[in-house]
Amino acid sequence: MKVQELRLLSIRIKIIFGECTHQAADRIYRTNVNRRFCSSKQLQTNFVLKGKTSKDKNLKLMKTILNKERSTRVEGSFVTEKEHYGLKRIRARSPETQNVWLFFGIFTANAVRLAKRIPKEIKLAA
């Protein structure tokens, strides 16, 4: 993944949700460039601090909350979908076919979510 993806992600978040003050990200985003970007935008992150650890209890609590939310919302949904749609063990030998399996699993999960929404919207309109 590219280093700049965190910048692009924060721009998308700002467009969709408005101003953001906290951001949780995976370990691959904990680069010096992304750390400087978050510091310049005054974003509170879940990144592990470099150097001496801080004794600030509020900071530790915020990082714990951000890590928990990130893991439950992002990884939790993927694990549920992988188990439900038979993607726990991908039956592919090449990266291309592996991506196709993942695409169709996520596509199916989204289609099921949309199908559950449609009757509710029809009832509300009536």
Side-chain angles (χ1 to χ4, degrees):
M1 295 206 173
K2 296 179 183 175
V3 174
Q4 292 83 10
E5 285 188 16
L6 189 59
R7 291 181 188 175
L8 295 175
L9 180 62
S10 66
I11 291 169
R12 288 182 191 155
I13 289 171
K14 187 175 182 180
I15 291 169
I16 296 170
F17 299 108
E19 201 61 38
C20 178
T21 58
H22 297 76
Q23 196 164 19
D26 287 336
R27 289 182 181 151
I28 69 166
Y29 291 105
R30 296 175 187 171
T31 62
N32 289 334
V33 174
N34 286 335
R35 288 174 189 271
R36 282 192 295 271
F37 171 75
C38 292
S39 295
S40 68
K41 299 292 183 183
Q42 297 179 345
L43 292 173
Q44 178 68 43
T45 64
N46 65 331
F47 296 168
V48 176
L49 296 176
K50 289 181 157 187
K52 272 190 157 181
T53 57
S54 174
K55 304 230 186 253
D56 186 10
K57 290 184 179 182
N58 291 332
L59 182 65
K60 287 182 182 179
L61 179 63
M62 184 56 62
K63 287 179 190 265
T64 303
I65 292 170
L66 286 172
N67 279 329
K68 185 176 179 182
E69 285 297 318
R70 182 196 59 79
S71 64
T72 33
R73 294 189 188 266
V74 175
E75 294 172 11
S77 64
F78 284 131
V79 171
T80 303
E81 290 167 4
K82 280 176 68 174
E83 289 175 359
H84 189 70
Y85 296 106
L87 297 173
K88 197 169 188 176
R89 185 172 151 244
I90 296 177
R91 296 153 188 91
R93 294 187 181 180
S94 69
E96 292 82 16
T97 53
Q98 180 179 358
N99 288 340
V100 170
W101 271 93
L102 288 171
F103 170 77
F104 280 112
I106 293 169
F107 178 79
T108 305
N110 288 335
V112 168
R113 284 187 189 142
L114 287 174
K116 287 179 181 177
R117 251 189 235 174
I118 290 172
K120 291 179 185 177
E121 292 174 358
I122 292 172
K123 288 178 185 177
L124 290 175

